[in-house]
Amino acid sequence: MKIHNIKYLLIAAFMLVFSACDPIVDEQQLTNSTDVAGVNLTASHSTPGGNKVTLKMDTPGVTGYWDYNLGKSLTNETTIVYPIPGKSTFTFIGTLGGEFFTKTIDVQIDQLDTRLDQDWYDLVSENTSAGKTWVFDGAAGTGAMFWFMSPPDNPDSAMSAWWNAGDCCPPLDVSGKMHFDLNGAANYNHYQTTAAAAEKGSFVLDPTNKKLIIQNSKILGYEAGNTANEYNIITLTEDKLVLYVPRSLKDPTTGWTFVFKPQ
């Protein structure tokens, strides 16, 4: 009997020792400061119906960022010059404290009374609703450099041709075109040939970072594009557009350069 008692005492002692070694965890769960209905989004125009708009989320305890369709602003309040007339929906993505949420606000823009960055007019023309059509600046067999292999990962070397592919081996859509406009949205159309039906998509122009992104369609010369459909803007003027990809689908070890002119 004594042996059994000693055995139980030893087991109890071991249990106490091991339980004393367990870490003390202070479990704190994040909780919401409000609900989605309590998040207040506002939009104010610099002039009535104008296209300079301040978007604001002013609910305490909530943080996040704005997605205004053509870009993102990583703050609760941002002022944008929006290039598209009509009703647009902007989205705030944030956290209530314990969970993430999205909430939208509709904004009606009746007039483009604040001028856009010049890149917008160069890309889509001053008549932003009608838009603008671009084609390759050259033809095969002429020696023109309009679609060529260039050094990788270096936009500064975009015009240094490693192989003038367009002269001997032009892209499948060499006789095609692409059209940009802001008629109710940032509309983009790719045409395999000038007579082909449009492959409709959209685009994002980022003048600050010199980027052009094609969505749900493809760039003219797409064989040498990239999977993200994101292009560095090397030149954008009224009569010339030069785009560059650091790594091309044509050859992933090289870059590629595309040169366009208005139709």
Side-chain angles (χ1 to χ4, degrees):
M1 184 68 76
K2 290 182 177 178
I3 293 174
H4 285 295
N5 291 337
I6 292 171
K7 181 175 71 174
Y8 292 138
L9 287 171
L10 288 172
I11 292 172
F14 275 115
M15 290 179 66
L16 287 170
V17 169
F18 281 110
S19 64
C21 294
D22 289 341
I24 298 174
V25 178
D26 183 12
E27 294 186 359
Q28 293 185 350
Q29 293 187 347
L30 296 174
T31 58
N32 293 340
S33 59
T34 184
D35 57 14
V36 176
V39 176
N40 187 43
L41 304 181
T42 62
S44 58
H45 299 263
S46 61
T47 58
N51 66 318
K52 187 174 183 179
V53 180
T54 297
L55 303 171
K56 186 176 182 182
M57 190 293 302
D58 57 6
T59 301
V62 176
T63 58
Y65 67 93
W66 283 98
D67 182 340
Y68 52 91
N69 306 321
L70 303 177
K72 294 178 174 62
S73 183
L74 305 180
T75 179
N76 289 350
E77 181 178 343
T78 186
T79 299
I80 60 172
V81 178
Y82 203 63
I84 304 170
K87 185 173 77 171
S88 295
T89 300
F90 303 123
T91 304
F92 187 82
I93 300 96
T95 174
L96 300 171
E99 63 181 295
F100 292 98
F101 74 98
T102 61
K103 190 170 185 177
T104 61
I105 186 171
D106 292 333
V107 178
Q108 178 67 33
I109 294 173
D110 297 320
Q111 54 182 341
L112 303 182
D113 57 342
T114 298
R115 278 191 66 82
L116 312 175
D117 186 287
Q118 184 60 37
D119 282 354
W120 287 100
Y121 301 112
D122 289 336
L123 183 66
V124 306
S125 82
E126 290 282 339
N127 187 344
T128 57
S129 293
K132 190 172 182 178
T133 299
W134 295 84
V135 296
F136 279 118
D137 189 10
T142 65
M145 293 176 57
F146 63 90
W147 191 71
F148 55 88
M149 180 185 291
S150 49
D153 304 323
N154 187 4
D156 292 337
S157 298
M159 300 309 294
S160 301
W162 279 4
W163 172 42
N164 190 8
D167 195 41
C168 71
C169 318
L172 295 174
D173 57 353
V174 64
S175 63
K177 60 184 179 180
M178 54 185 182
H179 183 83
F180 300 83
D181 70 65
L182 298 174
N183 186 16
N187 303 304
Y188 172 83
N189 291 332
H190 171 272
Y191 299 83
Q192 189 75 12
T193 67
T194 53
E199 182 177 337
K200 297 181 180 294
S202 60
F203 72 95
V204 174
L205 176 65
D206 182 350
T208 301
N209 296 301
K210 298 298 179 184
K211 298 280 188 181
L212 177 65
I213 302 168
I214 304 300
Q215 299 174 323
N216 302 314
S217 188
K218 54 197 175 193
I219 197 74
L220 199 62
Y222 57 88
E223 299 160 73
N226 63 10
T227 53
N229 246 341
E230 181 176 312
Y231 302 89
N232 294 86
I233 299 172
I234 305 303
T235 302
L236 177 52
T237 64
E238 184 180 2
D239 55 8
K240 190 170 187 177
L241 171 63
V242 180
L243 302 177
Y244 167 81
V245 287
R247 295 280 173 165
S248 169
L249 288 173
K250 195 80 168 172
D251 183 344
T253 66
T254 75
W256 209 273
T257 303
F258 310 71
V259 183
F260 306 105
K261 65 179 180 179
Q263 186 180 47

